[in-house]
Amino acid sequence: MKISVFDDHDHARCIACSIETAEARAASEGLRLTPTRRRVLEILLEEHRALGAYDILERLNAEGKRAQPPTAYRALEFLTRAGLAHRVERLNGYVACTAPESPHAPVFMICRKCRAVAEAASDAAGAAIAATADAVDFSLEACVIEVEGLCGECARQGAV
């Protein structure tokens, strides 16, 4: 499966389309995408890497927003609850969701060299996990798969 985030792409269009989708979803579900929440989502979209709350605070403060830690944490909590962002446990950070239009169990491909993160869908992996949960009488509520390896660019550069 080819993951577009690791390939060259029109990043400005990538961000614009994601913001447009987030705004439409927020409007249709009656969610309040405040200017701060929107800006935090834009910051997550600007890089295809997991960012921590303090990374986001640093960016907001550099823009003159004078934000405090609760500002970033509340925005990230809103974005994750709304399905507009995900927490990447391995990196202790957050990434913007690349498919906010539908509920899903994301699979994160994490490059161990450049730390880029791509979100992919894997219906087969999700189905296998759901079947395993059913087999042991377990009620599955959430599932996130994180895979570490090398993106194509780092592999071509001979990363170790």
Side-chain angles (χ1 to χ4, degrees):
M1 174 192 312
K2 198 141 180 99
I3 309 297
S4 64
V5 75
F6 290 132
D7 295 330
D8 286 334
H9 65 286
D10 183 344
H11 196 57
R13 180 166 158 65
C14 171
I15 293 170
C17 288
S18 294
I19 291 294
E20 184 179 302
T21 300
E23 288 174 339
R25 178 154 178 213
S28 73
E29 294 182 17
L31 302 173
R32 229 174 125 239
L33 191 60
T34 64
T36 298
R37 291 169 177 171
R38 185 183 196 281
R39 182 62 192 130
V40 170
L41 180 59
E42 289 171 341
I43 289 169
L44 291 176
L45 288 163
E46 287 169 3
E47 294 189 44
H48 291 297
R49 295 178 191 345
L51 298 175
Y54 283 89
D55 298 320
I56 291 165
L57 272 176
E58 188 176 302
R59 297 275 293 274
L60 291 172
N61 287 327
E63 296 169 2
K65 303 270 194 273
R66 298 179 54 202
Q68 298 297 315
T71 303
Y73 284 111
R74 281 194 291 261
L76 290 166
E77 181 182 347
F78 169 85
L79 294 171
T80 54
R81 270 198 335 259
L84 300 173
H86 299 290
R87 180 165 169 74
V88 179
E89 296 294 331
R90 182 171 195 82
L91 300 175
N92 193 28
Y94 297 83
V95 294
C97 179
T98 60
E101 61 279 350
S102 61
H104 59 284
V107 175
F108 295 112
M109 305 294 172
I110 304 166
C111 180
R112 67 174 166 75
K113 174 109 175 39
C114 72
R115 308 312 272 172
V117 177
E119 179 182 345
S122 177
D123 295 334
I129 291 169
T132 301
D134 286 343
V136 296
D137 194 26
F138 182 78
S139 180
L140 184 62
E141 295 177 352
C143 177
V144 177
I145 301 169
E146 297 181 7
V147 181
E148 189 174 69
L150 292 172
C151 69
E153 182 61 29
C154 288
R156 283 187 289 281
Q157 290 177 4
V160 179

